[in-house]
Amino acid sequence: MINPRPNARFALEVGPPQETNAAISTPPRAKPFQTVLGAHAQLQLVAQLAPLQELHARASAELGGSRRRGRPEKVERVSSRSAMPVASRWHRGGTPTHKLHFRKEVEIRTTLQELLLYFIFLINLCILTFGMVNQHMYYLNKVMSSLFLDTSVPGDERTNFKSIRSITDFWKFMEGPLLESLYWDSWYNNNPLYDLKNSSRIYYENILLGVPRIRQLKVRNNTCKVYPSFQSLMSECYAKYTSGNEDISDFGLRRDTEWKYSTPSSNSPWHWGFVGVYRNGGYIFTLSKSKSETKKKFINLQLNSWIRRGTRVVFIDFSLYNANVNLFCIIRLVAEFPATGGILTSWQFYSVKLLRYVSYYDYFIACCEITFLILCIIFTIQEGIKMKEYKSAYFKSIWNWLELLLLVLCFVAIFFNSYCKIQIFLLLESLLKSTEKYSDYYFLAYWHIFYNNVIAITIFFAWIKIFKFISFNNTMSQLSSTLSRCIKDIVGFAIMFFIILFAYAQLGFLVFGSQVDDFSTFQNSIFAQLRIVLGDFNFAAIQQDNRILGPIYFITFIFFVFFVLLNMFLAIINYTYSEVKADYSIGRRPDFELGKMIKKSYDNALKKLKLKKSQEDEGNESVKSRDLAERARREGFDENEIQSAEQMKKWKERLEKKYYSTEIQDDYQPVTQQEFRDLFLYAVELEKELHYISLKLNRVMREVSALPY
C-alpha cells in the first residue's frame, strides 16, 4: 500500500492533480472494475456535505472560531486531465470514441430501418396468405366428404365408400350412394328443382360442373413370374402397377371409350396412391346428365366385367362450384386394387378460389401481391450488395443463408402464382362452357394447392427470421444465444438419437410389420416410435403379435429414448442456458442492443407530443447552481470555498462521464497486466480519498451536534 499523501483532501476539493508524462503516454484503458465503481458511487455522498459545510462555516464565524484546518489559501485551477489514464474501451491506435459512437449510431439506425421494412414485408405476406383461405373452404370440404364418403348403401348401413373391400361393394356404392349424391333433381318435398342448363344442384347450392368421369388403369397379364411348382394351378399373373406394366390394349366390347385405352394428357399430374403412383389416361367413360341413363350404364359395365383381375385403380372425378362463397370444390374418389386382392379407398377434396378478383377485398389482395413482388426485388438488391461487399465472408452467417432461402421461396411462390393465374386465364373460360363433357379442374386445383404449400413454407421461414432482430430484448437474446451456443452439442446428440431411433425402427418393422398397422412400413415404424415418445402407442397390438420381443422392445425403447436420450437433450439445453445466463450476469451481453434505440425514439416521440419533459427543462439545474453561488456570496461565504465546491462538482461530473458513459455499452472488457496495475492504483487513490471524506464527515457531524440551539 502507498502511504496517504498530505494533499489528499486538497485533491478532493479542487480536483485531481496534473498527469505526469508517464500517465499521458499510457494508452487508453478499459473501465474500472467493481471496486472503482463502488468508490465512485460513494463519492456521490460528497454532494450532500455542502449544506453541512455552510452551516459549520457560519457557526464557526459566529463563535469566533478559526478557519478550517488544512485548507489552502489559494485554489489552483482544476486540471483538465486526471492523475490516472483515461478509462476507455479502445487501445492506442484505434478509432476515436466519437467516430465509433457515430458508426454505432449509423449501424443501429440502419438495422432499425431494416427491421421496420421487414415488418412491412411480414405483415403484407400474412395478409396475402390469409386472403387465400377462409373458413368456408373447410365447411365445404366437410359437407362434401360427409355426403360422398359416409352415405351408406340402402339396406346395408355398414357399407359406404370408406368401408369398400370387394368389387361387389364397389358396384353397390356406384349404383347407390354415388348416384344419389350426384343427381339432385327435386326439393325435399318432391317439388321439381329449378333448372340451369340441366345441371345438378348438390345440396341445392353447389352446381355440378360438366359431368363426372370414371377412369381405370390396368396391368398386363404375365407381368410377374409364377413359380414352376404352381404353374399347373395358375397360368395368369398380374403384378403391381407401374408405367411399364400398364395394359394399353382394348378389351371387352371394344366399341366405346370405356373399352378403349385413352392416352394421357401432357399437363395432368400423376396421382400418388397407397400402393403405386398412377399416371393420367386409361379406360375412361363419362356419366350422363340423366340419372336413369347413368344407372343403366353402371349395370351394363358390371354385367360385362369392366373391372377385371388386371384392374389396379379406379378414379371418380367431378367438380362443383358454390357461387355463394365463390369456391370451386374439386373431388376425386380413388379405389385401388392391390395385387394382394381387396380394395383400398382414398379421397381428395380441394376447395380453391379460382376466380381470384371479384370483391373489393380481392383487389386489395392484388395490391398486396404487387407490394410483395416489389419488396422481394428490394431484398434481392440488398443481399446482392452485401454479397459484393463481404464476398466469401457473407456465406459464413446462418442468417444470410436463411435470407437466401427465404428469397428463393418467395420467387418460387411468385412463379407458381403467376403460372396458376395464366392457366386459369387460358383454361377456365373454355372449361365453364363445356357443360356436356368432363371439365378437368383437377389440374388447376393441383397447382393452386402446390402454390398454397409453397407460400405456407415461405411464411414459416419469414417468421423464423424474426430471431435475427431479437437483440433488443434481454430474454429473447438469451434464447437465441442458448440455441446458437449449443447447436454443436445438439447435432452430436441428434446423431446418437437417430442411430438408436433407426435401429429400433428396423427392429419394429421386421418383427411387427406383417401384423401391426403402425409398423407396416419402415416409415410408419419411425413415426410410431415418435408417437411412443409422446405417449401415443398401442402396446396391446405389439404384445399380441410377439409376447416375448414385444414387451422387450417396448421397455428398452422407453428406457433408452425416454429416460436417457431425452433427459440428455434437456441437460444440454439447461447447461447451456445456465452458462448464457451467468455470462449475462457478469456483463457479457451483446454489445449491440436495438432496444435502446427503440426506447430513445419512443422518448423523442413523447417529447414531441409534450407527454414528457425535455432535457432543456432539466437543464435548468445549471442555472440554479449559478444562482446558488451568487446567494452564497451574498451571505458572506469565502470565494475560495465557493470555487472549491464548484470544482469538486465538476470533477465528480467528469468521473461520471468517463465511467458511466452511454457510449460504452460493455460492462465487461479484458484488460492487460499494465492496465490492471493502473486501475488498481487508481482504486487505491479513491479509497484514500474516501477515508478522508469519512473522517471529515465525522468531524463535521460532531461539531454540528456540539452547536447550541
Side-chain angles (χ1 to χ4, degrees), residues 196 199-202 205-209 319-323:
L196 180 62
S199 297
S200 176
R201 294 292 187 96
I202 299 176
E205 301 293 345
N206 304 280
I207 303 174
L208 181 63
L209 300 175
S319 303
L320 311 172
Y321 176 71
N322 190 306

Side-chain angles (χ1 to χ4, degrees), residues 140-160:
L140 183 58
N141 288 337
K142 184 178 180 180
V143 168
M144 292 300 129
S145 62
S146 176
L147 177 64
F148 289 99
L149 302 180
D150 299 331
T151 303
S152 302
V153 175
D156 188 1
E157 297 295 331
R158 296 177 299 177
T159 303
N160 54 29

Side-chain angles (χ1 to χ4, degrees), residues 385-400:
I385 295 174
K386 291 180 182 178
M387 292 175 66
K388 183 178 180 180
E389 179 180 359
Y390 297 105
K391 298 181 180 178
S392 60
Y394 173 85
F395 299 98
K396 295 181 180 180
S397 174
I398 187 64
W399 297 114
N400 293 335

Side-chain angles (χ1 to χ4, degrees), residues 603-626:
D603 292 339
N604 292 335
L606 291 180
K607 292 173 184 177
K608 291 180 179 180
L609 296 175
K610 297 183 179 180
L611 299 176
K612 186 178 180 180
K613 292 183 178 180
S614 61
Q615 294 182 352
E616 296 178 356
D617 298 335
E618 297 176 357
N620 294 331
E621 295 181 358
S622 60
V623 179
K624 294 181 180 179
S625 178
R626 291 193 296 269

Side-chain angles (χ1 to χ4, degrees), residues 516-530:
V516 183
D517 181 61
D518 291 340
F519 297 88
S520 58
T521 63
F522 184 70
Q523 294 87 347
N524 289 346
S525 181
I526 295 175
F527 291 127
Q529 290 180 134
L530 296 177

Side-chain angles (χ1 to χ4, degrees), residues 22-61:
I24 296 175
S25 62
T26 305
R29 306 302 179 187
K31 280 185 178 180
F33 36 88
Q34 292 181 353
T35 304
V36 180
L37 294 179
H40 178 68
Q42 296 180 47
L43 281 175
Q44 296 179 355
L45 296 174
V46 178
Q48 307 298 329
L49 294 177
L52 295 177
Q53 290 177 342
E54 295 175 0
L55 180 61
H56 178 246
R58 294 177 63 182
S60 300

Side-chain angles (χ1 to χ4, degrees), residues 108 111-112 114-116 118-119 122 398-399 402 461-485 577 580 584 589-598:
I108 293 175
T111 305
L112 184 59
E114 182 181 353
L115 177 60
L116 294 177
Y118 185 74
F119 271 127
L122 187 60
I398 187 64
W399 297 114
L402 179 61
F461 284 106
W463 280 105
I464 294 298
K465 188 189 169 183
I466 293 183
F467 282 98
K468 179 181 178 181
F469 304 102
I470 64 174
S471 61
F472 64 87
N473 184 274
N474 195 23
T475 302
M476 292 191 294
S477 180
Q478 289 183 18
L479 173 62
S480 62
S481 300
T482 301
L483 295 178
S484 60
R485 186 177 296 188
Y577 179 74
V580 171
Y584 275 51
R589 298 181 178 87
D591 56 352
F592 168 66
E593 294 185 2
L594 193 61
K596 294 182 179 180
M597 187 64 183
I598 297 176

